[in-house]
Amino acid sequence: MVVACEDCPLRKMKLFEDLDDEGLAFMQKFKSGETVLEAGTTLLMEGSNSPQLFTALEGMGLRYKRLPNGRRQVVNFIFPGDFIVLQAGVMGEMKHSVETATQMTLCVFDRAGIWTFFREQPERAFDLTWLASVEEYFLSGAMASIGQMTAAQRVFWGLMRFHTRCERLTLTTSNGSPFPFLHADLADALGLSPEHLSRTLSKLRKQQVVDVTEGVVRILDEDACRKIGMFEDDLPEQRRLI
Amino acid sequence: MVVACEDCPLRKMKLFEDLDDEGLAFMQKFKSGETVLEAGTTLLMEGSNSPQLFTALEGMGLRYKRLPNGRRQVVNFIFPGDFIVLQAGVMGEMKHSVETATQMTLCVFDRAGIWTFFREQPERAFDLTWLASVEEYFLSGAMASIGQMTAAQRVFWGLMRFHTRCERLTLTTSNGSPFPFLHADLADALGLSPEHLSRTLSKLRKQQVVDVTEGVVRILDEDACRKIGMFEDDLPEQRRLI
DNA sequence: CGGAACATTGATAGAGCTCAAGGAACGTGG
DNA sequence: CCACGTTCCTTGAGCTCTATCAATGTTCCG
């Protein structure tokens, strides 16, 4: 049972771009199906060249680059609404790998159709550029975090950002935000060793700043930034194509 | 004496996209003039919202984010051919500041014209997306470098990448590639303290790997990657709009 | 029950930061 | 032409943060 674009649950959120009927019909024509993947599946490999494009409809995953020295940099976490293969679609091949962390449902689009975007739907094409630009902004924020902040600050920054994204997608409950990743994933995202991440987390837990246990992030003190010499950084309101 | 797009020196390089006559005429119409800036000028501030878009025609500069703790992350170095305000053009405001390192000549475009791209020139619009995507790729590489590599590796990586970009633009002479930045800039780009950068550089110099002196980078051993447990990472061939 | 996968904790070492002091290069003004 | 300040790069010493190595818990599952 494939979700029609018209009924896409993501569209109900403010976060996403309002499409008029024409735009919607176009997207629907563009969408060629759905895929469901188990947790822990590698969806795309660095260097691969998928004939299909994907959008996350449900579930979470992560993008990472593997380095020849065996290390891994997690580039970003993937949320519902994220366009997954823009790079491959535009640049010809993937520059990082993509893995699922939970079961994920993806909308599948035909890659060749991307040109139709540009020719027939300038607004959607603009959205694509916008998405790429936001992605760039995300990364520059992460870069600044990894390059210039201490372990505690990075951890707080990373979890705060994660939590904010969850909130925007109404994934947060009174209990906190779901965090279906391993500590090792977070460590690789922040440029820390798992051991040090563990220590840092328990420190932040004691300080009542933030906590991650059993797949849930809890921001214990919204105003905790100052506790650890942090600052808040604004996330742009995200829009979505489909 | 403004350079006509037709005579743009950058177009002669293979690196850049071939435009047909129509595309060229379009760009020319889009271009509203040129600006020359002295070295050390702040061109755009984080949060600003320029009514104009720029493209680097000559000279070099850098993008950086300032953090509330006083630190600075240099996000990227700017070369001739780089689109400078894509973010502001697409997202509404700049998410980082831009500064010149040498005298720079910029092509100026009217920001409102960006929509014309999408409506009338789908190929150019695609190029824009492509550019944003490449930028993203650049950043993810830098992120991996900062997050997962040692100081020596980062320095080599940074200088090698810089050198490669110079080569592609035929800026490299038998003497090496011009590096008109301060060590402090490089340090802020790599997430190192200036002191440690200095020490690391002198080590790499002794090892005959790479050298930066008096504004020139020299890669002393193209095959030096192994000397310091490094790897080469490929830079995508860059294209340019204008 | 035993084993895998993951998280935590401890001990130790090393990488990189900070503070502080010297040099070198350059421009300016006397 | 030389003193000087400034700006930048280098070098040194000490210390902090974080990585690494190793061991112990924990949870989950077969």
Side-chain angles (χ1 to χ4, degrees), chain B residues 123-143:
Chain B
E123 290 84 4
R124 302 301 115 233
F126 184 84
D127 285 344
L128 271 186
T129 311
W130 188 89
L131 275 177
S133 224
V134 168
E135 197 58 29
E136 184 196 331
Y137 169 63
F138 259 62
L139 294 194
S140 70
M143 207 172 142

Side-chain angles (χ1 to χ4, degrees), chain A residues 151-160 190 192 197 200-201 204:
Chain A
Q153 293 170 332
R154 282 186 239 178
V155 171
F156 177 75
W157 174 90
L159 292 178
M160 194 65 196
L190 300 174
L192 298 171
L197 172 64
T200 306
L201 274 175
L204 292 175

Side-chain angles (χ1 to χ4, degrees), chain B residues 2 31 51 53 61-62 72 86 104 118 125 136 142 159-160 169 172 182 185 201-202 208 215 231 235:
Chain B
V2 170
K31 175 169 175 176
L53 304 179
L62 49 79
R72 181 182 72 145
L86 184 52
M104 287 189 80
F118 284 90
E136 184 196 331
L159 293 177
M160 194 65 196
L169 288 164
T172 304
L182 300 180
D185 296 327
L201 273 175
S202 72
Q208 293 283 314
F231 60 97
L235 271 182

